[in-house]
Amino acid sequence: MKPIAVVSLCFWIASAAWSDETQDQLDVIRYGTETEIAALIESLKKDASYEDDNLDAELARIAQTTQNRKIVAGALSFFGGRQKGDLRERAIAIIENRADEPQDAVVAAMEYLGKIKPPGAASVLKEVVDDGASDTLGPAIRALGSVAGSGGGDEIAEFLIDLYTNRDPGAGNNGTLLNALGETKSEKAVPFLVDIVTDTEQSSSLRIAALDALAKIGDAAGLDAILGALSASEPTVRSAAVAALSPFSGQRVDEAILGNFRDPVFRTRAAAAKAAGERKLSAAIPYLKYRAEKDEARIVREASIRALGAIGNGEAMNALEALFSEPKNPDYVRLPSAEALLNNNADAYIQQVIDAMDDAQKKHRTTLYNGFLGILSKAKSGKLESLAGRFFASGSAVEKSAALDMTLNNRFSAFTEEVRDLADQKNNALARKARNVLEKL
């Protein structure tokens, strides 16, 4: 069979299978119970490759007309996660008629508006806040901060500050309100947030929320307060202050990050590593290397490895290679080190990782082997072609699944025939994945 014929046949098989599956899903939406539709929605949420306008249109139609609150809430969550505005009018209608709607549907509608950020959403959310109903106040504040990104950030910030100062949203909503202020990105919120950070009589949770909000806004007027919080007596406040330094620059900030690698609390050291990676702070490499090798806390070692990968210069790559190559290092050190190497320069390190994977298999270190296999299945390099071919020829179901990932990620069209063979097999999960790869190729 000529290559063009093979490709055409593959496409026909994949399309036919996909059409059958799509029809089944449409039938569930049209005729299924609330449990069946909820299960379908959850399945579609988990499918990273999902994209079907027909299903979307049918699900939106049902959600517009049904009175079943579980279906409506599930559809709002589904479309909100994909930031699709199909249910904007339905969500606003639910909120406007909230006295006659179940609480979970009202909350889902507000969360949906917060995700899609439609014009005019702020006004209806402010009405909910003004009502002051305890069961909807927190979600309304959260959504209000989110929609500020579509405009009106200063106005929303002033509204929220007035709510906190003059109307008492309740202790349970204070942290939510501070987080929402950060989402507004408004400089008008900075003096208010600084007052909370610097007030040592405030609870740690509120000071942490205010620090996080200052970081989201990223205005230089908040920097002194953040630096001052680095010496707080509460370890959680110190950790939050280190994390809040990420958007700022300058020698004072760099020195503060480096100094917190010595903090006795592991969360603060982990925050310093994360901040160093986000800033690509080369001066932190010796600290990160030491912490990745010797820190007593796994979370710090892992954060240091990720930071070295984010910096990604020659010195950082040498440190990562040493961490990956040392067989005495625990799996949680070797695996993320290998992943960071491949993310930065896959062609240069692919063979080393393949060799390490094969060595792990020979030594019956199954967890380490599967870890390397998962990393390789996500890598992008033409040098993976021989490994994919090996798995297609004689691999286990797990290895064949990895070969499908490699084929799709690297567009290995030479394996079209092997993928088609898997699409015809009785292993439903593997066959479904193979059909999906065929369609995308």
Side-chain angles (χ1 to χ4, degrees):
M1 184 179 291
K2 294 181 180 179
I4 187 66
V6 172
V7 174
S8 298
L9 177 60
C10 293
F11 179 77
W12 180 85
I13 292 172
S15 298
W18 177 251
S19 296
D20 290 343
E21 186 176 3
T22 300
Q23 187 59 55
D24 290 342
Q25 292 170 331
L26 284 169
D27 288 344
V28 169
I29 294 172
R30 289 167 178 162
Y31 315 119
T33 65
E34 67 175 34
T35 302
E36 292 166 341
I37 294 174
L40 174 61
I41 289 173
E42 287 304 310
S43 174
L44 295 177
K45 281 183 182 179
K46 295 174 183 177
D47 186 355
S49 63
Y50 169 79
E51 189 171 343
D52 191 309
D53 291 338
N54 290 330
L55 280 181
D56 284 354
E58 190 64 17
L59 185 57
R61 185 186 69 79
I62 294 295
Q64 293 280 13
T65 57
T66 184
Q67 296 303 310
N68 187 297
R69 64 184 189 181
K70 289 186 178 179
I71 295 176
V72 173
L76 287 166
S77 174
F78 175 66
F79 283 111
R82 300 178 62 222
Q83 296 187 334
K84 294 193 69 172
D86 303 56
L87 298 179
R88 180 181 64 84
E89 293 179 0
R90 177 74 159 119
I92 291 175
I94 289 172
I95 296 170
E96 288 177 338
N97 298 291
R98 55 192 173 277
D100 301 319
E101 297 282 356
Q103 180 188 342
D104 53 355
V106 175
V107 171
M110 290 191 291
E111 291 175 346
Y112 174 74
L113 292 184
K115 289 175 181 175
I116 67 167
K117 304 174 176 58
S123 59
V124 71
L125 291 169
K126 284 180 181 179
E127 291 176 7
V128 180
V129 173
D130 287 337
D131 280 353
S134 59
D135 53 357
T136 55
L137 183 56
I141 291 171
R142 243 187 331 267
L144 195 53
S146 297
V147 302
S150 62
D154 288 346
E155 182 182 345
I156 292 174
E158 290 174 340
F159 176 85
L160 292 173
I161 291 171
D162 176 71
L163 174 65
Y164 187 101
T165 306
N166 300 317
R167 291 189 280 165
D168 186 16
N173 290 318
N174 284 337
T176 301
L177 189 148
L178 296 179
N179 289 327
L181 277 175
E183 295 294 339
T184 68
K185 305 292 193 295
S186 172
E187 295 176 4
K188 291 183 178 294
V190 173
F192 173 78
L193 294 168
V194 164
D195 286 344
I196 292 176
V197 169
T198 56
D199 183 359
T200 56
E201 298 299 316
Q202 291 281 3
S203 68
S204 296
S205 61
L206 288 184
R207 295 178 74 193
I208 290 168
L211 284 164
D212 181 61
L214 286 174
K216 289 176 180 174
I217 297 170
D219 186 83
L223 179 57
D224 284 342
I226 296 171
L227 290 171
L230 293 171
S231 58
S233 58
E234 304 94 329
T236 52
V237 175
R238 295 201 304 273
S239 300
V242 177
L245 291 172
S246 294
F248 300 97
S249 60
Q251 185 176 353
R252 286 196 304 162
V253 176
D254 292 349
E255 290 174 352
I257 292 171
L258 297 178
N260 277 277
F261 279 107
R262 298 187 177 91
D263 196 286
V265 177
F266 73 91
R267 293 193 184 279
T268 304
R269 300 195 300 276
K274 184 174 184 291
E278 289 173 344
R279 296 167 58 78
K280 299 186 183 300
L281 185 57
S282 297
I285 292 175
Y287 295 85
L288 295 168
K289 183 175 183 295
Y290 183 86
R291 288 293 148 207
E293 291 173 342
K294 301 183 182 298
D295 203 282
E296 62 187 24
R298 173 173 174 172
I299 187 175
V300 179
R301 299 182 78 174
E302 292 176 332
S304 298
I305 291 166
R306 288 193 294 272
L308 287 168
I311 295 171
N313 62 15
E315 185 182 1
M317 295 294 279
N318 289 337
L320 288 167
E321 186 174 5
L323 291 164
F324 155 70
S325 301
E326 175 50 65
K328 294 181 181 179
N329 279 337
D331 294 359
Y332 69 79
V333 168
R334 297 188 69 196
L335 289 171
S337 298
E339 187 170 20
L341 290 170
L342 296 187
N343 286 341
N344 280 286
N345 192 347
D347 286 345
Y349 295 100
I350 278 288
Q351 193 55 53
Q352 290 184 49
V353 178
I354 292 173
D355 292 343
M357 180 187 70
D358 290 339
D359 182 68
Q361 186 177 44
K362 290 176 184 176
K363 294 176 178 176
H364 305 290
R365 298 184 61 182
T366 305
T367 302
L368 183 60
Y369 175 81
N370 288 336
F372 283 133
L373 180 62
I375 291 167
L376 288 166
S377 70
K378 295 182 290 185
K380 293 188 177 183
S381 172
K383 294 185 177 182
L384 281 169
E385 189 165 8
S386 60
L387 181 64
R390 185 177 106 192
F391 287 156
F392 277 128
S394 59
S396 64
V398 173
E399 290 167 337
K400 283 183 167 64
S401 179
L404 288 171
D405 290 329
M406 295 174 197
T407 298
L408 181 59
N409 291 340
N410 297 283
R411 318 301 293 181
F412 290 150
S413 57
F415 295 125
T416 301
E417 189 71 25
E418 287 84 351
V419 177
R420 182 170 66 85
D421 289 342
L422 289 178
D424 292 336
Q425 289 191 1
K426 294 181 179 180
N427 184 321
N428 289 335
L430 201 58
R432 187 161 52 248
K433 185 172 185 176
R435 290 195 293 268
N436 188 42
V437 171
L438 276 176
E439 182 184 4
K440 290 184 177 179
L441 285 176

